[in-house]
Amino acid sequence: MLAVEALEVLSRKLGVAIGAMGLHAGEFGKPELVEKPVREAERIFQGYSKATPSGEDAYDAARAFLRGKELDPWQREFVASALATPIREQNGRMVLGARRFPALLAEYEKEAKRGDLWRLTWYGLLYSYFQFDPVISKDEVTHNGWEALRSFLEQSWPLIDRQAGEALVPEWVKVLRKESSVLTRTPVERYTAAYLRGDTAAVEQLSADLGIPSSSWFWHALVLGVVKRASEIKDDARFRQQIPLLLRLIESKPAFRDDALEAILIRYEASKEAPQDERLRDYVCQPSVWKNPKNRDEGLAPAWNRVPDEVWRMVLSWVNEQNLKDFFDILAARNNADEGRLAFWSSYLKQITWTRLIFGAETMMLRHRNPEVRALIAREEGAYAQLTAKREVDAFMMQIGSYVIVEFSKKPNACYVYNVGSLPFGRYDKYYHGGTSDLSTGFHQSCPARIVHTPGWQKRADMELRDLGIRPDNPSAHRELSTGATQPASISKRWSGAPANHRDGIQQGPDLAVLRALLKRFGGASIDDRRKSETSGGRLWVEDPMQRMLLARELKAMGFKWANSRQAWYFPES
């Protein structure tokens, strides 16, 4: 009897215990009754594992630190997650850029080595690492602080990883065990190929797992990495197909825009026979981006100094070509004054090295209601000039060789050709009268050529320009040079490697006979050999007043370099 009573007592107690555990609804011993509480416990654990101090507490700690106050132990833990937070009361300064930040980081390092650094504090530092926005803070000191934080995280991660062990660990620990490259100097390299293909799943998952904000440096670096990877594509056509995607990415994440554009433009210029890319031209030439390349030498578009001269000249030729078309298609066409002038000057297009649009008052007013004119003036921001006397007339300047040619959009204005070295007006003036006091001086005074647009003018103009050494572009010249159809082997191929003339390992320069043969085909170009002279650095120079692109390609293939200061080609010394 006592045994039965004892069994009943034990049964009641077991029932109470099971009820207290929340298992009274099912049968004892079934695993599914335990799994749900375990999952809930894991969810709570993962939430706490990514918890950071309240934004207010972290902000207060960062503000106190920047004000020079000593932080108490709790504040030192709080501030870890606000290192990259701009502090309003400190004009947007960040702890990363503070003079005392290296000492604070050294304290975290000591704790990590002792095994005393809290895992949540380390996660706060990781949060600050990804929070850094390079668009907001561009000063070098702050960036150096961020780089020091990256280095600390990379070096201390193995310690944190070992401390976490193999038991239940936070999700971010699991992610970092697979993706620790995000803490290295090449944090985005492994993701760029997929991103370039449009496969963003891996990166988006990484972002979600590590809590990477949309303004983080990570996205800007990823875009730059994608651009650089695209620039490594060997197939020119495939590379050019990527440009619309690359420009969209740069526009969305512009922190490293200039580095990205530099890589794209250099790669584009290296393409063989690459046609003009209007989308790339219009983007890079925006006033808010690199501005008009025509303004580089005036110091108004310094970004163009980032790229080699041949890249700058490529885009400049794109702009000049567009200016020529815009002038006759939009401006002269309004007055029915084209009369074949676009077709005529287009035959000299490859020789045009500089252009400038000059707008009359009527065109300036028209921009308020004509989108086409408004877009044209916007493209020329910082480069155009205005006419003060002739309200309904626009003008167009272009340089071909050593001559500046001035065309007008409306009759009875003639076209005037002036010597670059003796212009009767300022080349970069902001305002022109437009009459005989400046642009039309050639009406009363002698000038190299004056073209009147009466019937048969094209033939007369062609003869006058030929007398000045200006001839139309040769449409077949490039085919001859590229295929070698008229020569046993093209000059480019003969000079594709190091020059043949060497003595004791010293580069002696090109074969003058070959060089003279080349220049003979390009009338007006000349050799200035000063290698035996003590002046001008003793170099071999080639001068081409018409600055022809076809000749430029051959000279570059022979090893010549362009000197912007002298506007001529030189053979570099070893």
Side-chain angles (χ1 to χ4, degrees):
M1 194 69 180
L2 290 173
V4 172
E5 290 178 356
L7 185 60
E8 289 177 351
V9 170
L10 288 174
S11 295
R12 284 197 300 272
K13 289 183 177 180
L14 182 60
V16 171
I18 291 173
M21 294 172 64
L23 304 176
H24 56 275
E27 297 179 36
F28 183 70
K30 289 198 172 184
E32 59 267 21
L33 300 176
V34 180
E35 288 173 358
K36 184 177 179 181
V38 169
R39 285 196 300 269
E40 179 63 16
E42 275 197 46
R43 186 187 66 78
I44 295 172
F45 168 75
Q46 293 295 349
Y48 279 114
S49 72
K50 293 180 68 173
T52 55
S54 75
E56 186 177 344
D57 288 339
Y59 187 93
D60 289 345
R63 181 176 56 193
F65 185 84
L66 289 175
R67 287 176 173 173
K69 296 182 179 179
E70 290 297 325
L71 303 184
D72 61 37
W74 280 112
Q75 286 178 313
R76 205 157 52 79
E77 308 302 331
F78 292 162
V79 78
S81 60
L83 302 180
T85 301
I87 305 302
R88 295 185 300 275
E89 296 85 348
Q90 293 289 317
N91 295 320
R93 288 175 60 213
M94 300 178 185
V95 173
L96 288 173
R99 181 176 51 82
R100 297 193 299 151
F101 174 65
L104 176 65
L105 198 60
E107 288 298 316
Y108 290 135
E109 186 175 2
K110 290 177 184 176
E111 290 184 9
K113 289 179 178 178
R114 292 197 306 264
D116 295 335
L117 184 64
W118 287 4
R119 193 162 63 192
L120 279 178
T121 302
W122 195 92
Y123 178 77
L125 295 169
L126 181 69
Y127 175 82
S128 289
Y129 171 62
F130 283 117
Q131 185 192 18
F132 179 65
D133 183 351
V135 174
I136 293 177
S137 181
K138 296 183 179 180
D139 70 279
E140 186 177 357
V141 175
T142 303
H143 187 275
N144 290 342
W146 172 82
E147 174 58 34
L149 174 61
R150 183 208 62 74
S151 179
F152 165 76
L153 291 171
E154 181 183 22
Q155 293 171 18
S156 60
W157 162 241
L159 301 175
I160 298 298
D161 185 19
R162 282 197 297 272
Q163 290 172 15
E166 297 300 328
L168 185 64
V169 295
E171 285 297 328
W172 60 264
V173 171
K174 294 179 183 177
V175 173
L176 278 181
R177 282 173 174 172
K178 296 186 296 183
E179 310 289 346
S180 60
S181 62
V182 296
L183 304 178
T184 68
R185 290 182 179 274
T186 55
V188 300
E189 189 170 345
R190 63 179 298 181
Y191 312 109
T192 55
Y195 207 78
L196 184 60
R197 294 193 305 269
D199 180 4
T200 61
V203 171
E204 288 169 356
Q205 185 62 51
L206 179 73
S207 171
D209 291 339
L210 296 182
I212 303 176
S214 60
S215 59
S216 171
W217 60 267
F218 176 84
W219 301 109
H220 299 279
L222 180 62
V223 168
L224 179 59
V226 169
V227 168
K228 289 184 174 179
R229 181 174 286 272
S231 299
E232 294 169 357
I233 296 175
K234 296 187 182 301
D235 183 87
D236 293 340
R238 274 211 318 128
F239 163 71
R240 294 198 297 271
Q241 288 172 358
Q242 301 292 337
I243 288 179
L245 168 67
L246 300 180
L247 293 181
R248 287 196 300 271
L249 290 175
I250 293 171
E251 206 161 12
S252 67
K253 303 296 178 186
F256 303 117
R257 181 194 67 196
D258 290 349
D259 294 316
L261 286 175
E262 180 181 339
I264 291 173
L265 289 169
I266 290 175
R267 173 64 182 86
Y268 198 97
E269 195 275 336
S271 298
K272 296 177 181 178
E273 298 309 303
Q276 178 176 165
D277 190 298
E278 295 182 3
R279 190 193 300 256
L280 178 57
R281 179 201 66 206
D282 291 345
Y283 180 80
V284 73
C285 293
Q286 289 182 88
S288 59
V289 186
W290 279 21
K291 303 181 182 178
N292 199 310
K294 290 188 289 187
N295 294 330
R296 186 197 70 169
D297 292 342
E298 292 182 272
L300 301 177
W304 287 103
N305 291 312
R306 297 177 63 99
V307 295
D309 265 10
E310 53 265 28
V311 176
W312 167 73
R313 289 162 66 84
M314 175 189 71
V315 182
L316 182 62
S317 71
W318 293 354
V319 172
N320 291 338
E321 180 178 349
Q322 187 62 40
N323 281 172
L324 181 67
K325 292 178 178 177
D326 286 342
F327 181 75
F328 291 109
D329 282 349
I330 300 175
L331 303 178
R334 291 208 328 266
N335 300 306
N336 297 316
D338 182 293
E339 300 168 320
R341 287 188 283 173
L342 174 58
F344 179 82
W345 291 115
S346 291
S347 65
Y348 299 87
L349 191 58
K350 293 181 180 178
Q351 302 172 60
I352 297 175
T353 57
W354 175 82
T355 57
R356 196 173 190 208
L357 288 167
I358 307 167
F359 302 121
E362 189 176 285
T363 296
M364 295 301 292
M365 290 296 295
L366 195 59
R367 64 179 170 172
H368 298 298
R369 60 181 186 276
N370 187 315
E372 199 173 30
V373 171
R374 181 165 58 250
L376 169 59
I377 293 175
R379 282 199 300 271
E380 288 297 291
E381 184 67 39
Y384 70 81
Q386 296 184 51
L387 284 180
T388 58
K390 302 179 179 181
R391 294 180 55 82
E392 74 287 358
V393 177
D394 304 293
F396 179 67
M397 292 184 194
M398 56 186 150
Q399 180 175 351
I400 298 179
S402 56
Y403 297 96
V404 167
I405 300 166
V406 182
E407 268 279 21
F408 292 90
S409 65
K410 189 177 180 181
K411 283 179 161 184
N413 298 280
C415 170
Y416 298 96
V417 181
Y418 299 103
N419 282 304
V420 171
S422 56
L423 291 175
F425 48 81
R427 185 168 174 161
Y428 294 103
D429 289 348
K430 292 296 183 183
Y431 296 93
Y432 299 96
H433 180 273
T436 56
S437 62
D438 46 38
L439 300 185
S440 300
T441 300
F443 182 80
H444 288 307
Q445 301 178 16
S446 62
C447 61
R450 177 171 176 263
I451 301 169
V452 180
H453 305 99
T454 54
W457 70 268
Q458 291 97 328
K459 188 173 182 179
R460 295 193 302 272
D462 178 73
M463 294 175 63
E464 288 191 66
L465 293 174
R466 285 178 183 273
D467 288 342
L468 299 177
I470 302 174
R471 295 171 176 80
D473 300 330
N474 183 355
S476 63
H478 189 265
R479 287 197 298 274
E480 294 172 3
L481 290 175
S482 61
T483 63
T486 60
Q487 304 174 64
S490 72
I491 293 173
S492 296
K493 290 180 180 178
R494 288 203 296 267
W495 288 91
S496 59
N501 289 346
H502 281 70
R503 186 187 66 196
D504 300 328
I506 299 175
Q507 185 172 313
Q508 299 299 308
D511 187 323
L512 286 180
V514 175
L515 181 60
R516 290 191 185 100
L518 170 65
L519 299 189
K520 189 175 181 180
R521 298 191 351 256
F522 291 89
S526 61
I527 296 173
D528 182 12
D529 192 351
R530 302 192 179 189
R531 286 175 294 182
K532 294 182 180 180
S533 169
E534 295 180 358
T535 62
S536 302
R539 283 175 166 167
L540 174 65
W541 293 86
V542 170
E543 296 176 334
D544 179 24
M546 292 184 245
Q547 298 183 10
R548 287 159 289 198
M549 294 180 67
L550 296 179
L551 176 57
R553 285 195 185 99
E554 293 298 332
L555 290 172
K556 282 196 290 184
M558 296 174 75
F560 280 86
K561 302 288 186 182
W562 175 257
N564 198 49
S565 58
R566 181 170 166 177
Q567 295 286 294
W569 295 90
Y570 69 93
F571 197 85
E573 299 171 352
S574 300

